[in-house]
Amino acid sequence: MTFLEKMTDEELSHIKKLGYFLGSFDPMHLGHIEVIRIILEKGLCDAVFVYCVQGKSSWKQRSDFFQRTKYCESMLCNINNVILSYFPPQKVQQKLTIKEGSKVKSKFSHITGIIGADIACDLEYKSNDPSIEALRRARQSDFMQGIFLDKKFNDSIACSIALPATDFIIALRKDYKIEDIPSTVCKRKVNAIIDTKEYRYLSSSEIKRCAANSNKL
């Protein structure tokens, strides 16, 4: 494992296919690690950039960004070709892309977005609820599109639009089957579906709830 902050442009130039694994990781668990391991072992990506979503969430009540990233560091410290960062989204974008007008261009031949089945399906499948459908369409238009970041974007949004994904890898989660997964996400190809099998049913939110309840005992 290494930190983006310490990587030189020459070191980054050796990476052709970068996986962008974005999530709350609150906390990171064995399912996340298994997804990373499978992607690297199968050569689906040369390196995986694991980045904790910044900003607050009223419904997820995320833990502190630095605390979550530090925990990821402890979980991933012995895995090669994994990159972490404490940079804010704007600095991540500056390090990994080149500005082109209102968008940015990747410094790599591919940036592959690594997302959960729930996100993929929420982005691709229409909702009968007009308000949810409006949000889906808005999100679909900028999700991992590499939109140039300025002060009008808050951190949570910035993390999901900072880097331009060429394609996607989908990690199956509980209640989702391979046949549920769309062939494209935001008009970009789904190149692989990862099934971690026994870890598929792990949930960061449930782990966090269990930990909170145990502390009350």
Side-chain angles (χ1 to χ4, degrees), residues 53-141:
V53 171
Q54 296 196 13
K56 297 186 180 297
S57 168
S58 59
W59 63 281
K60 273 202 169 186
Q61 298 181 330
R62 297 188 190 110
S63 301
D64 176 73
F65 164 75
F66 291 96
Q67 177 183 334
R68 287 181 282 124
T69 302
K70 193 70 178 176
Y71 187 74
C72 288
E73 180 183 347
S74 70
M75 296 283 281
L76 300 168
C77 61
N78 294 320
I79 303 179
N80 293 328
N81 300 318
V82 171
I83 303 168
L84 285 177
S85 181
Y86 288 93
F87 273 159
Q90 287 82 358
K91 285 194 174 182
V92 167
Q93 186 178 79
Q94 290 166 10
K95 185 84 171 180
L96 300 179
T97 66
I98 301 167
K99 187 176 185 298
E100 286 191 343
S102 62
K103 290 193 174 184
V104 294
K105 179 182 178 181
S106 167
K107 290 183 178 180
F108 312 94
S109 62
H110 287 80
I111 292 181
T112 296
I114 303 167
I115 59 177
D118 52 338
I119 295 175
C121 292
D122 286 349
L123 283 167
E124 279 305 294
Y125 297 138
K126 293 181 179 179
S127 171
N128 292 325
D129 184 321
S131 60
I132 294 176
E133 178 60 14
L135 287 172
R136 183 191 74 86
R137 287 180 175 274
R139 192 180 183 200
Q140 194 178 49
S141 67

Side-chain angles (χ1 to χ4, degrees), residues 132-199:
I132 294 176
E133 178 60 14
L135 287 172
R136 183 191 74 86
R137 287 180 175 274
R139 192 180 183 200
Q140 194 178 49
S141 67
D142 59 24
F143 185 75
M144 291 196 183
Q145 296 281 7
I147 296 173
F148 179 68
L149 297 176
D150 59 29
K151 61 184 180 181
K152 72 180 180 180
F153 295 109
N154 66 39
D155 284 344
S156 294
I157 294 173
C159 294
S160 68
I161 67 177
L163 300 183
T166 312
D167 46 34
F168 290 94
I169 292 173
I170 310 299
L172 286 183
R173 298 190 63 181
K174 64 177 183 178
D175 303 327
Y176 289 89
K177 300 176 182 178
I178 290 177
E179 53 266 34
D180 297 329
I181 307 303
S183 59
T184 61
V185 173
C186 304
K187 298 182 180 179
R188 284 158 287 172
K189 184 179 178 182
V190 173
N191 274 339
I193 300 172
I194 304 295
D195 187 354
T196 59
K197 297 184 172 31
E198 64 265 37
Y199 299 119

